[in-house]
Amino acid sequence: ERKRSCLLEQGQSLLKELQSRERSLESSRKEQERLREEESSVRKQCQALRDRLDDLCGQLLFCRREEAEKDLQASRGKLERWNRSYDEVEQGFRKAETAAQAAAVRLGQLQSQLAEAQRMAETAEKELRCAAISRMGSWELYRRSLRSEEEKAVLQKRISDFGQEKSALAAEKSSLERSIQGRALPDLEGLQQEQLQLRAQREQLQQAQNRILSRLDRNRLSRDSIRRIAEKTAEQGRKCAMLQDLSDTLNGTLKGKQKITLERYIQSAYFDRVLESANQRLSRMSEGRFQLRRRVENAHSAQSGLELDVFDEYTGSQRDVRSMSGGESFKASLALALGLADVVQAHAGGVQLEAMFIDEGFGSLDGDSLEQAMRVLEQLSSGKRLVGIISHVEELRQRIDRKLIVKGGPRGSHLQPSW
């Protein structure tokens, strides 16, 4: 009897474990179905990723760099999320597959144990029946002697519940078998091949992404270099324009300005000083009639700026200096020479011009003009300055006390001093 009870309890324990394993198997199957649906979703996402990749491959060039960077960042984020989802689904699928295989193995073991327990229970029941009949004459008497009615009712109820639960499980098992009947097992090799293809595509995408990032970095470096060169070129252009304006100003080629070079400008400044000193001499020699003036009208040539005019007090007009007569030109020339000597002496750092020689020109002067010129020369020679006159005019010979007379002869010219 104890052996039978142990067998029954063992059978019930095995039955409960079988039920638990069947529920676990059902849960694993549901989890497998869920993983299959997630796998299908991941495949659709991978296909969408392939389509997006094709679109991106066809649109590698963008109108603006910011759009390319934004699109690249978005694609990178999607790729990372899909990779994580795919890895999670793959891990879940493998876990479910492992759990299903373990559950199937355990179910087979439990079924074998249940069949062995049932066989042992039947054998024990047969042995128990034989022993009860041999001792008590019948099996019913033996049973009545062992359990009360309440106990029997409880046992009967347990047996009935067990039968109903077993029938329900059998019906559920049949329903599940019918629901999966005709369905093909997952093609693990195909899924592995597809996984390898997806990984290869992911590597290709990562390589393309790395190439784009590398090209983007090079473009940024080139942009910065071009910007620095442009700034340097602009600065050099401004300096060059300033130097060009300075060069045009110095060379007298600046548009809208007088065509006077720096050299002519400086010469004009000194020439004005020479004219200022010369006019003092010329005014005395011409009794205030003439005054030399530099022509200051707009110059059209870089070599202009030193033209000379003369202002005539008698006519009140200004005319070209070339219109002066021979005597007037000599006076103007003598006044310019004396003015130049004064300016040179004033700007020569203390150098004294102690000698001056005047060659010809006195023959063109009338008596009054000659007298005026001589008075000016006498004023110059009254100090420490030596004034030498080279001339053939007889009146000058009579006016000059110290002379060097040049006489010609058969043997050439010679000097004859006359003091």
Side-chain angles (χ1 to χ4, degrees):
E1 179 67 20
R2 286 194 302 271
K3 184 177 181 181
R4 183 174 180 277
S5 299
C6 291
L7 290 175
L8 289 174
E9 290 175 358
Q10 186 177 6
Q12 291 176 359
S13 177
L14 292 175
L15 182 60
K16 291 180 180 179
E17 186 175 0
L18 177 61
Q19 293 173 356
S20 175
R21 293 297 179 178
E22 286 179 348
R23 286 192 296 270
S24 176
L25 179 60
E26 179 62 22
S27 176
S28 298
R29 287 176 180 175
K30 292 181 180 180
E31 181 67 19
Q32 186 176 8
E33 290 294 329
R34 186 184 66 80
L35 292 175
R36 286 176 180 174
E37 292 176 357
E38 291 183 357
E39 181 183 7
S40 177
S41 176
V42 169
R43 287 182 180 179
K44 293 180 181 179
Q45 292 178 357
C46 290
Q47 184 62 38
L49 178 60
R50 293 194 193 99
D51 298 337
R52 181 58 181 168
L53 177 62
D54 294 336
D55 295 337
L56 291 176
C57 292
Q59 300 175 359
L60 287 178
L61 298 179
F62 295 89
C63 296
R64 298 178 61 187
R65 187 185 68 257
E66 291 81 3
E67 296 178 356
E69 291 179 351
K70 290 181 180 179
D71 191 79
L72 178 61
Q73 292 296 332
S75 300
R76 186 188 303 168
K78 290 182 179 179
L79 179 60
E80 291 177 355
R81 291 195 298 273
W82 289 340
N83 286 335
R84 288 196 298 270
S85 299
Y86 180 80
D87 292 338
E88 292 174 358
V89 172
E90 184 180 12
Q91 291 176 2
F93 177 78
R94 291 190 178 279
K95 289 181 181 179
E97 184 179 13
T98 303
Q101 292 176 357
V105 172
R106 183 59 179 166
L107 178 62
Q109 294 176 355
L110 292 175
Q111 288 177 349
S112 299
Q113 292 177 3
L114 178 61
E116 180 66 19
Q118 289 177 351
R119 185 182 62 77
M120 292 174 64
E122 291 175 356
T123 303
E125 185 178 2
K126 289 179 180 179
E127 293 176 354
L128 181 60
R129 284 178 180 273
C130 293
I133 292 172
S134 63
R135 288 183 182 183
M136 299 183 70
S138 67
W139 171 251
E140 295 294 333
L141 292 173
Y142 177 76
R143 290 184 62 188
R144 285 194 298 270
S145 64
L146 294 177
R147 299 287 184 182
S148 63
E149 293 298 331
E150 294 179 356
E151 292 176 344
K152 292 179 181 179
V154 172
L155 291 176
Q156 187 66 33
K157 186 177 185 304
R158 290 175 62 185
I159 294 172
S160 177
D161 293 339
F162 173 77
Q164 293 177 1
E165 187 175 359
K166 182 178 180 181
S167 299
L169 290 175
E172 186 177 1
K173 180 180 179 182
S174 300
S175 176
L176 292 175
E177 289 177 351
R178 286 193 300 271
S179 65
I180 64 174
Q181 188 177 4
R183 293 185 179 181
L185 294 175
D187 188 6
L188 296 179
E189 294 182 357
L191 292 175
Q192 291 175 354
Q193 292 294 330
E194 187 175 0
Q195 179 185 12
L196 293 176
Q197 293 177 1
L198 291 175
R199 287 179 177 175
Q201 292 177 1
R202 182 178 64 183
E203 292 178 357
Q204 293 177 358
L205 288 174
Q206 290 176 349
Q207 293 175 0
Q209 176 184 355
N210 294 333
R211 289 194 298 270
I212 293 173
L213 291 175
S214 177
R215 185 168 57 188
L216 182 60
D217 292 338
R218 292 195 300 270
N219 291 338
R220 287 175 177 171
L221 293 176
S222 300
R223 179 198 61 189
D224 296 338
S225 178
I226 292 172
R227 184 177 296 170
R228 289 192 298 269
I229 292 174
E231 293 175 354
K232 186 177 180 180
T233 302
E235 181 64 23
Q236 292 178 352
R238 289 190 292 269
K239 292 181 180 179
C240 182
M242 181 183 67
L243 294 176
Q244 184 64 42
D245 292 341
L246 180 60
S247 175
D248 293 341
T249 301
L250 297 179
N251 294 325
T253 58
L254 190 64
K255 295 181 179 179
K257 302 295 181 181
Q258 291 186 355
K259 308 297 183 179
I260 301 177
T261 62
L262 177 63
E263 180 181 2
R264 280 303 177 101
Y265 178 79
I266 296 174
Q267 289 176 353
S268 299
Y270 278 98
F271 194 32
D272 289 339
R273 298 178 184 179
V274 171
L275 292 178
E276 182 179 358
S277 180
N279 283 328
Q280 296 177 4
R281 314 281 187 180
L282 182 59
S283 179
R284 290 196 297 269
M285 286 188 289
S286 64
E287 296 181 348
R289 178 182 177 183
F290 296 115
Q291 185 179 3
L292 297 175
R293 293 182 179 178
R294 185 173 62 86
R295 192 176 302 165
V296 294
E297 59 189 22
N298 291 335
H300 298 285
S301 174
Q303 301 300 323
S304 62
L306 297 179
E307 291 83 358
L308 192 60
D309 291 336
V310 60
F311 181 76
D312 192 345
E313 291 289 348
Y314 290 178
T315 61
S317 61
Q318 184 172 315
R319 52 190 172 90
D320 196 333
V321 73
R322 289 176 294 185
S323 64
M324 300 178 71
S325 63
E328 295 171 348
S329 297
F330 176 77
K331 293 178 184 180
S333 300
L334 180 58
L336 285 172
L338 297 175
L340 179 60
D342 294 338
V343 172
V344 171
Q345 184 173 343
H347 293 82
V351 176
Q352 298 291 329
L353 297 179
E354 298 178 352
M356 178 182 295
F357 290 90
I358 302 174
D359 185 14
E360 294 298 340
F362 293 95
S364 60
L365 298 178
D366 55 15
D368 295 337
S369 298
L370 182 60
E371 183 65 26
Q372 294 170 356
M374 287 303 298
R375 283 199 301 267
V376 173
L377 294 176
E378 287 174 355
Q379 291 177 359
L380 292 175
S381 62
S382 62
K384 296 181 180 181
R385 182 176 296 178
L386 175 63
V387 179
I389 299 174
I390 302 172
S391 179
H392 297 86
V393 178
E394 187 63 27
E395 294 180 2
L396 290 177
R397 292 182 183 182
Q398 296 175 3
R399 296 282 300 270
I400 297 174
D401 296 334
R402 299 179 181 184
K403 299 181 288 290
L404 285 175
I405 301 173
V406 180
K407 290 186 177 183
R411 296 181 180 181
S413 300
H414 64 277
L415 295 177
Q416 180 181 350
S418 176
W419 312 112

